[in-house]
Amino acid sequence: QVPLVESGGGSVQAGGSLRLSCAVSGLTYSSYCMAWFRQAPGREREGVAAVAGDGTTSYADSVKGRFTISQENGDGIVYLQMNSLKPDDTAMYYCAADAYISFSAYRRGCSGGLSSSNRRYWGQGTQVTVSP
């Protein structure tokens, strides 16, 4: 069973918008430290956006001002609103998370960084294609 399930991908023209969703499935932790990553063909996976335990957000420079990540208090659902999409945004988008047994542990431990090394759980991805 895949622990994270993404949805909302699709094909749009440049300048359009998409909203990605990711929901935890089958896990029974208290809180989740969640982020979005993407990988285009022939390129390395990169961090796109993340939420920290104190509610602050982090973004890759390439998406700042265009993408917005949202998650409520460590809940097991995270969204990525993507506006002003560009062809360079074309990629498979993955949701990733680490899990905590208490909200206080989540607040202390979730740093919200864009590194993939501390993300234990991953979804299967949703494709985003942006045409010129």
Side-chain angles (χ1 to χ4, degrees), residues 19-95:
R19 187 188 194 213
L20 305 184
S21 301
C22 171
V24 169
S25 175
L27 301 177
T28 57
Y29 292 89
S30 168
S31 303
Y32 300 90
C33 185
M34 303 184 80
W36 287 95
F37 295 81
R38 68 185 181 185
Q39 187 166 20
R43 300 177 66 175
E44 293 187 355
R45 182 171 57 193
E46 64 171 340
V48 175
V51 182
D54 62 0
T56 58
T57 53
S58 302
Y59 296 94
D61 288 343
S62 59
V63 307
K64 283 180 181 177
R66 301 188 298 121
F67 290 11
T68 303
I69 188 171
S70 57
Q71 180 193 12
E72 293 291 332
N73 297 323
D75 287 350
I77 300 176
V78 65
Y79 302 97
L80 185 68
Q81 178 66 43
M82 305 186 296
N83 298 327
S84 302
L85 282 161
K86 304 175 181 179
D88 281 349
D89 295 319
T90 295
M92 185 71 80
Y93 283 70
Y94 297 92
C95 175

